Amino acid sequence: MKEFFVTLAVGITVLFGIDKEEPEKDEAKQEIHQEEAKEAVVEEQPKDLPPTVVPAATTESSTTEIEEPSEEAEKEPERVSDGQFEYEVPEDAPWWTPVAGGSIISESVQEGVEGQVSTLWGNGTQGQNERNMDHPRDVQIDSKGRIYFIDGSETTAKLRMFDGEKITTVIDLVDNKITRREGYFAVAGMVIMHGNVYVCSTQDLFSVKDGHMTQFTPKIRAYMDKKNLNHIYRIEQYKDYIYLMFMDKSNQYHIARYNTNGGDVEQVIETKPMPNPYNFYVHGENEIFIASKTGYVVWEILFPRETRTAWEDADPKTEIVDVWIGSNDSMYMVAWEDQNNHLIYENPIGKDADEVVTLAGSRRGFTDGIDDEAELDYPIDFVWDGSGYVFADMGNHSIRKVWTSIGPMKK
């Protein structure tokens, strides 16, 4: 009987290919299973997160020893994120902590004084409901005084509206017939002209009406293909025109415009290099001001063609993120200074940079007040409402206003 079981065991071993003397095959199978497990981990990740990078196999032996990092090796600087921006944690700086939650909505201010900042809606808490926003931006105001804005990430972007009492969603930019298959919507800007709402992605311009979104014109995409432009970066409005700033694959900018009443896309500024533009402002038929992330404002004069520097900050870490010309012929700029101070500046065009004055703002934070009492957190996209500038305070997830009698110069 014992010989029978021995013979049976040998037969099973031969039948199923089990060979104890070939450990290398077992190791090879184990490596295959490990690679399959890595691929499974990548596929199971949430769609809105970047995929885990699995190191590619090398030609070296798998038994190669991995060199342990030296204790004296420099540590990578700690990085934090406020949901929209990521940056290094400065040493001995208490202000880096992202502002979030706990603030009370300000009392309603019917008439503020010069340089006063008040919060219209938002309590610093991130969300997308009647009371909360998620990094609002691209603010616009319609003829009834309703405030439209974009908020949410590329996978949650929505066009929303604040009527003075609550926030409602006009359209989900990700979940609609146009973009549902894409699963995301990278916003390049939004304008309201003659009662019509236009939202722009990095690839096309859309008209929004009655809860529906449609491509406004195929001519913009055709123009991009003809000029070898990679994406739409920002949009602005002037009279019946929508001005579009494009970027090519080398991050050189190009500006063109389209008449909303029809016609062809017209080139305004040919493709040219400029480090890190952030926003631009169309001033009349002949001037465009471009705000830069590297601390200066470019002044483009169209006829006769000339490029000037209208403002240059001494600190290259200063980001100029918005610019416009006031009725007093001064230039107004919004500056994020080294992620520390967020201010609204006034500077007479052509005057020395030392003559700049602060309209409102100080260190990063969430405090209403006059002049330097006010604290802002990534303010952007200022729009005139008749008695001041309404703007998005992205880091505070709120819509705020700076009161001033100096409106924009009539275009």
Side-chain angles (χ1 to χ4, degrees):
M1 182 64 70
K2 182 178 180 181
E3 293 177 355
F4 170 77
F5 283 111
V6 171
T7 303
L8 179 62
V10 172
I12 292 173
T13 301
V14 173
L15 177 63
F16 291 98
I18 301 174
D19 191 349
K20 296 182 179 179
E21 295 181 0
E22 293 182 0
E24 294 181 0
K25 290 185 178 180
D26 290 341
E27 291 177 2
K29 290 179 181 179
Q30 187 176 4
E31 290 178 2
I32 292 173
H33 289 314
Q34 288 175 349
E35 290 300 322
E36 290 175 348
K38 289 178 181 178
E39 292 176 1
V41 171
V42 174
E43 292 176 356
E44 291 174 3
Q45 290 188 105
K47 294 182 179 179
D48 57 345
L49 294 177
T52 301
V53 178
V54 179
T58 63
T59 57
E60 297 181 2
S61 171
S62 59
T63 59
T64 302
E65 294 184 1
I66 300 175
E67 186 176 352
E68 295 292 334
S70 170
E71 295 181 359
E72 298 180 356
E74 293 186 4
K75 295 182 179 180
E76 288 291 329
E78 184 181 355
R79 301 184 70 83
V80 295
S81 172
D82 60 12
Q84 184 77 2
F85 304 94
E86 186 176 287
Y87 46 88
E88 294 181 8
V89 179
E91 295 182 1
D92 303 322
W95 50 261
W96 68 262
T97 306
V99 178
S103 300
I104 300 173
I105 296 174
S106 301
E107 296 181 2
S108 177
V109 178
Q110 299 297 324
E111 186 175 353
V113 300
E114 189 74 18
Q116 179 177 347
V117 173
S118 57
T119 302
L120 303 182
W121 202 252
N123 59 7
T125 303
Q126 183 178 358
Q128 287 185 315
N129 51 49
E130 291 184 356
R131 301 185 67 83
N132 300 118
M133 290 156 272
D134 180 6
H135 292 92
R137 55 202 182 277
D138 297 307
V139 175
Q140 293 288 313
I141 300 176
D142 69 7
S143 58
K144 297 180 180 180
R146 297 176 298 190
I147 302 171
Y148 288 74
F149 60 95
I150 305 291
D151 75 344
S153 67
E154 292 183 356
T155 58
T156 62
K158 294 177 176 61
L159 168 59
R160 311 186 73 205
M161 184 267 290
F162 173 59
D163 62 4
E165 297 182 357
K166 64 179 181 180
I167 300 172
T168 56
T169 297
V170 178
I171 189 169
D172 189 323
L173 296 173
V174 176
D175 186 16
N176 62 76
K177 291 182 179 180
I178 295 290
T179 61
R180 184 176 294 143
R181 296 178 183 176
E182 302 282 340
Y184 67 92
F185 192 94
V187 181
M190 188 254 297
V191 297
I192 298 178
M193 301 173 63
H194 311 305
N196 299 314
V197 179
Y198 303 94
V199 175
C200 192
S201 74
T202 55
Q203 298 300 319
D204 216 338
L205 180 67
F206 301 92
S207 175
V208 178
K209 188 175 183 180
D210 299 328
H212 298 284
M213 186 164 66
T214 56
Q215 183 190 42
F216 182 60
T217 175
K219 294 181 178 180
I220 292 175
R221 284 297 314 166
Y223 183 84
M224 292 174 66
D225 294 339
K226 179 181 178 182
K227 297 288 187 177
N228 295 316
L229 301 170
N230 189 50
H231 64 275
I232 306 168
Y233 186 67
R234 291 282 187 270
I235 63 172
E236 267 288 340
Q237 66 185 83
Y238 174 71
K239 292 187 176 179
D240 292 330
Y241 288 94
I242 293 179
Y243 283 71
L244 304 103
M245 174 182 281
F246 301 94
M247 290 289 186
D248 70 2
K249 292 182 179 180
S250 300
N251 282 328
Q252 299 183 108
Y253 78 91
H254 177 109
I255 297 179
R257 67 179 186 176
Y258 180 74
N259 192 320
T260 54
N261 296 320
D264 294 325
V265 180
E266 304 172 357
Q267 176 179 299
V268 177
I269 297 177
E270 63 183 2
T271 304
K272 60 185 298 186
M274 175 186 170
N276 296 318
Y278 197 102
N279 221 330
F280 73 107
Y281 173 78
V282 181
H283 181 55
E285 299 283 355
N286 199 41
E287 297 174 317
I288 294 178
F289 292 84
I290 303 174
S292 165
K293 295 179 184 178
T294 48
Y296 60 93
V297 177
V298 173
W299 183 1
E300 297 282 8
I301 302 171
L302 305 181
F303 310 106
R305 192 73 183 87
E306 185 180 0
T307 300
R308 301 180 186 176
T309 299
W311 162 265
E312 184 173 5
D313 194 276
D315 185 355
K317 294 183 180 180
T318 295
E319 298 181 58
I320 307 298
V321 299
D322 214 344
V323 60
W324 67 91
I325 306 301
S327 58
N328 58 352
D329 203 31
S330 288
M331 181 170 65
Y332 289 82
M333 303 165 290
V334 181
W336 301 344
E337 296 181 348
D338 197 19
Q339 300 157 355
N340 188 354
N341 299 315
H342 293 173
L343 306 105
I344 308 164
Y345 283 133
E346 177 188 351
N347 181 263
I349 295 178
K351 296 297 179 66
D352 190 277
D354 292 337
E355 295 186 30
V356 68
V357 295
T358 302
L359 174 62
S362 57
R363 61 188 288 143
R364 245 182 108 216
F366 192 10
T367 303
D368 288 348
I370 300 173
D371 299 333
D372 60 0
E373 295 175 353
E375 295 178 345
L376 318 173
D377 193 13
Y378 295 110
I380 189 66
D381 297 326
F382 286 63
V383 59
W384 178 251
D385 74 345
S387 57
Y389 291 93
V390 174
F391 64 95
D393 204 13
M394 288 195 298
N396 288 319
H397 311 293
S398 63
I399 299 294
R400 306 177 76 181
K401 178 176 179 176
V402 55
W403 299 81
T404 176
S405 59
I406 308 298
M409 181 175 287
K410 293 183 179 180
K411 300 180 181 181

